[in-house]
Amino acid sequence: MILGIDIGGTSTKLGLVHDDRVIAHARIPTTDQVDEHAFADAIAQAVHDLIRTHGRGPLRAIGIGAPNANQLTGRIEMAPNLPWKHDVPMARMMSERMGVPAVLGNDANAAALGEWRYGAGRGMNDLLVVTLGTGVGSGFIVNGELVLGHAGNAGELGHTTLYPGGRPCTCGRSGCLEAYVSIRGMITTYTELGGDGEVPDVRAIAERADAGATAALACFDRTAADLAIGLANAVCATGPQRIVLFGGIVRSGELLMAPLRRHFEHALLNIYHDRVDLVPSALPADDAALLGAAALATWNDHK
């Protein structure tokens, strides 16, 4: 069995993976812990409970996906959306508690490996996976290798500049792709296009688009156009065979994908036309992050 851990800002999901599927789940709060050591203790206790109830053989390894995680150091580095504002050596802490190897990686890189190992990227040596949610994450696989960079933090497509001097981004810069194609970015776009009333999330915009609301349909088209530019630029850099989109915004289905395919082909450099697939994730929505985390732990086994 492999343990997959998906650390989020409010809650952390755990899953035991056996025969390429999640066989047992648990969830603990990320907040409300005294410190990171109490948090790691809570994970270990929850895992022991899972194994005792649902275990199928010994635990072999642990994969952990988290924001601001550095795979080279095994540390979560000053993540702004997590309770601890200092570096946390989470891989070592979990390995010590569970007695097996643990690998920590950026949550978007985990998503890329999950698609490569279990989902829409199987058998592909050149893959780009982009997560569209609260933020915009990305994981690049080039020539069969996950791109980490010399410091372990390469592949930040969401923080490439789309509009110089544009909207402020959570990273402290302006005009980043994330400021336009994340959930927050879509809500801002909807408001700028004259959408009626406040919308709490993308689902509300999608419901209005399904009902034919002009501003909601325009919001999806504008978001698709902006995202297409970011993806086309990424294609120029790494030449992926396939781009897989993952996350809450992608669950809007053809409201996003239909205009995105159109804008993407228009934005691509002509030598890449009809050479890059653009598809949604093939992983079960509830298990995708856990399978991605598990794939971190087994990456070298399957290359």
Side-chain angles (χ1 to χ4, degrees):
M1 293 186 304
I2 305 296
L3 172 65
I5 303 175
D6 174 38
I7 299 177
T10 56
S11 66
T12 292
K13 297 188 293 184
L14 316 172
L16 291 178
V17 178
H18 183 264
D19 287 340
D20 292 354
R21 65 186 183 91
V22 181
I23 61 170
H25 301 78
R27 185 187 297 263
I28 67 168
T30 305
T31 54
D32 301 329
Q33 307 287 348
V34 174
D35 56 23
E36 66 270 25
H37 301 286
F39 174 66
D41 289 341
I43 292 177
Q45 182 58 57
V47 174
H48 285 304
D49 292 342
L50 277 180
I51 293 174
R52 184 174 61 254
T53 306
H54 303 283
R56 300 181 186 177
L59 185 66
R60 182 160 67 91
I62 300 169
I64 310 165
N68 287 64
N70 189 317
Q71 193 165 330
L72 297 184
T73 66
R75 295 176 179 269
I76 299 173
E77 298 179 342
M78 296 180 288
N81 296 323
L82 294 181
W84 323 286
K85 305 308 177 188
H86 51 272
D87 290 357
V88 176
M90 189 57 67
R92 176 175 60 79
M93 293 167 67
M94 292 313 307
S95 181
E96 290 174 350
R97 284 163 173 79
M98 300 305 302
V100 297
V103 178
L104 172 78
N106 178 275
D107 46 7
N109 284 343
L113 294 185
E115 292 292 344
W116 179 88
R117 174 74 176 87
Y118 304 107
R122 287 192 187 203
M124 295 194 169
N125 287 327
D126 295 276
L127 183 70
L128 168 59
V129 176
V130 179
T131 63
L132 302 172
T134 304
V136 175
S138 53
F140 292 80
I141 295 174
V142 177
N143 294 331
E145 297 287 344
L146 181 65
V147 175
L148 298 175
H150 81 280
N153 51 15
E156 289 288 351
L157 180 62
H159 296 292
T160 55
T161 301
L162 181 66
Y163 295 110
R167 295 176 187 170
C169 182
T170 55
C171 72
R173 303 193 308 156
S174 298
C176 292
L177 182 67
E178 180 174 299
Y180 295 86
V181 303
S182 62
I183 292 172
R184 178 176 58 89
M186 279 198 72
I187 292 172
T188 301
T189 298
Y190 177 75
T191 301
E192 289 177 351
L193 291 170
D196 293 333
E198 294 185 3
V199 288
D201 51 33
V202 172
R203 181 182 300 177
I205 301 175
E207 289 172 352
R208 297 181 188 197
D210 283 332
T214 301
L217 288 167
C219 177
F220 274 100
D221 188 74
R222 176 78 60 80
T223 301
D226 287 341
L227 178 58
I229 294 171
L231 297 180
N233 287 341
V235 169
C236 287
T238 65
Q241 298 163 270
R242 176 169 290 172
I243 299 174
V244 181
L245 301 179
F246 171 86
I249 294 175
V250 184
R251 296 190 192 112
S252 302
E254 288 302 297
L255 283 172
L256 175 72
M257 295 302 296
L260 179 59
R261 293 188 190 101
R262 183 178 71 254
H263 288 297
F264 180 62
E265 283 301 315
H266 179 74
L268 276 174
L269 185 65
N270 59 2
I271 61 173
Y272 298 113
H273 282 174
D274 300 319
R275 294 186 175 183
V276 185
D277 294 334
L278 186 62
V279 301
S281 170
L283 296 177
D286 291 341
D287 292 342
L290 295 173
L291 289 169
L296 282 168
T298 58
W299 169 245
N300 288 326
D301 296 346
H302 297 283
K303 287 197 299 182

